[in-house]
Amino acid sequence: MKDFRGKVAVITGAASGLGREFANTAAGLGMKLVLADVQAKALEHATEELLLGGAEVLSMVCDVSKGSHVQELADSAIARFGQVNLVFNNAGVGSGGLIWENSEQDWEWVLGVNLWGVIHGVRVFTRVMLECAARDGDFEGHIVNTASMAGLLTPPAMGVYNVSKHAVVALSETLYQDLRLVDAPIKASVLCPYFVPTGIAQSHRNRPDELAADERITPSQMAAQLLTEKAVESGKVTAADVARITFDAIRDGRFYIYSHPQALQAAEERFEAIVQGSQPADPYAATPQVTDMLRAGIKGRR
Ligand SMILES: NC(=O)c1ccc[n+]([C@@H]2O[C@H](COP(=O)([O-])OP(=O)(O)OC[C@H]3O[C@@H](n4cnc5c(N)ncnc54)[C@H](O)[C@@H]3O)[C@@H](O)[C@H]2O)c1
């Protein structure tokens, strides 16, 4: 997609962080916006700002882990704008700690948003786009799924998040292959950011009551939380940078999108170990202080 003006972008997790910046960039390019998030207040605030800037905006409180909400989002987008061209399946949350210490609720919450959110987004919006393409021979579509470098690596004390993001990479690669198989005028990309300052370390702010965390936080969960806060806060690449990099990739039709290409060294080492059949590579080999911090936290020596 080279020309964005007048086209329609759907963005989940649009009230904060990367999603908020996708909305800014899309508005700046003259796109019409469909914004979805669970945070009603923050979404209202984002919508007001974008309307003041002159964008056409439809916003909906929508929990992407629920298929019926995503279907309603798509129906509303078509009812209002008649087509959908660009979809960012971006909403996401995080939860850390040793993999056997995560509760069933942790798994349900994180997989619900990070994986089921993307499953619903792909399931619902690819069909909507195919219908748009059947009506309009010049139709162009693009779906961007937000995974993470955690979708290519397996850092310790991040198991639930890693599993969700690896699944998003697999889902996105398969989406790419399937769209190619049927010559659809729809492209796919997977965005794999490293640490970027956003609200991700405070994901618990959106955690639903029915999937509330255990009251007793384990030392490993505490250590992972502190590490995430530190890493996210100190990220030098901004959410606006990631939005710019992502739109460049959409223009170029690139599938894999990276915010920190230097972090791919660890992915190379992981794949080398897989091919060699050796033990899994250490994702923090270049930053052993991170492993030290986790170990100290788990032992209660922070
Ligand atoms: N910031 C990073 O360092 C980083 C790194 C890698 C990947 N990511 C991914 O980027 C994406 C965006 O996160 P962010 O960093 O901008 O964090 P963020 O917390 O600033 O934004 C995430 C948004 O998703 C929304 N959300 C949460 N649950 C939802 C649900 N059930 N339905 C709809 N919306 C929901 C939140 O309300 C929030 O507005 C996520 O998928 C995250 O996993 C972030």
Side-chain angles (χ1 to χ4, degrees):
M1 191 181 297
K2 304 263 183 235
D3 185 15
F4 296 90
R5 187 157 297 280
K7 294 199 169 93
V8 180
V10 176
I11 304 164
T12 70
S16 173
L18 302 185
R20 183 69 187 80
E21 291 298 337
F22 292 146
N24 269 348
T25 306
L29 291 166
M31 299 191 84
K32 298 169 187 169
L33 304 177
V34 180
L35 310 181
D37 206 290
V38 278
Q39 290 190 93
K41 273 263 153 52
L43 184 62
E44 205 180 298
H45 186 67
T47 305
E48 275 166 17
E49 278 185 3
L50 289 156
L51 285 170
L52 274 175
E56 277 188 68
V57 185
L58 166 69
S59 67
M60 278 186 71
V61 173
C62 163
D63 178 349
V64 296
S65 69
K66 300 196 161 52
S68 59
H69 286 209
V70 177
Q71 185 63 57
E72 211 180 308
L73 180 70
D75 293 345
S76 305
I78 292 296
R80 169 79 186 268
F81 294 124
Q83 62 173 351
V84 168
N85 304 91
L86 182 54
V87 175
F88 293 92
N89 289 310
N90 168 75
V93 293
S95 172
L98 295 169
I99 197 160
W100 57 87
E101 291 183 355
N102 287 112
S103 65
E104 202 173 329
Q105 291 91 325
D106 291 341
W107 284 97
E108 278 196 25
W109 176 48
V110 176
L111 292 185
V113 182
N114 294 10
L115 176 55
W116 276 101
V118 180
I119 293 172
H120 293 316
V122 165
R123 211 173 46 73
V124 169
F125 281 103
T126 311
R127 294 186 212 181
V128 164
M129 285 183 169
L130 288 169
E131 283 163 17
C132 291
R135 288 196 299 272
D136 171 5
D138 294 327
F139 178 83
E140 278 184 299
H142 201 125
I143 299 173
V144 180
N145 296 328
T146 304
S148 168
M149 281 307 292
L152 301 172
L153 303 173
T154 49
M158 283 181 57
V160 184
Y161 190 76
N162 294 343
V163 169
S164 73
K165 295 301 188 178
H166 275 253
V168 171
V169 172
L171 196 165
S172 307
E173 288 182 353
T174 313
L175 173 65
Y176 172 91
Q177 303 293 0
D178 287 357
L179 290 169
R180 204 169 143 254
L181 196 63
V182 300
D183 291 322
I186 304 167
K187 293 204 159 61
S189 298
V190 67
L191 169 62
C192 297
Y194 206 47
F195 294 109
V196 181
T198 66
I200 194 73
Q202 284 77 43
S203 293
H204 45 270
R205 71 193 187 281
N206 303 308
R207 190 163 174 156
D209 292 343
E210 66 272 20
L211 296 176
D214 285 345
E215 275 178 18
R216 198 183 58 83
I217 294 181
T218 68
S220 80
Q221 288 165 353
M222 184 81 84
Q225 173 66 25
L226 289 175
L227 176 65
T228 307
E229 281 172 17
K230 206 169 159 188
V232 166
E233 273 165 22
S234 57
K236 299 281 182 292
V237 175
T238 66
D241 293 332
V242 177
R244 182 181 40 74
I245 290 165
T246 303
F247 272 85
D248 285 348
I250 296 167
R251 257 186 220 98
D252 298 346
R254 265 183 287 125
F255 178 80
Y256 296 105
I257 312 175
Y258 303 115
S259 61
H260 297 68
Q262 65 276 24
L264 288 167
Q265 173 70 35
E268 265 186 64
E269 288 164 9
R270 171 170 178 257
F271 283 107
E272 183 63 20
I274 291 171
V275 173
Q276 295 300 326
S278 58
Q279 304 298 74
D282 175 5
Y284 292 135
T287 50
Q289 66 277 17
V290 174
T291 306
D292 293 345
M293 184 180 157
L294 280 172
R295 283 212 175 102
I298 291 167
K299 285 183 187 150
R301 286 196 278 111
R302 278 188 311 280

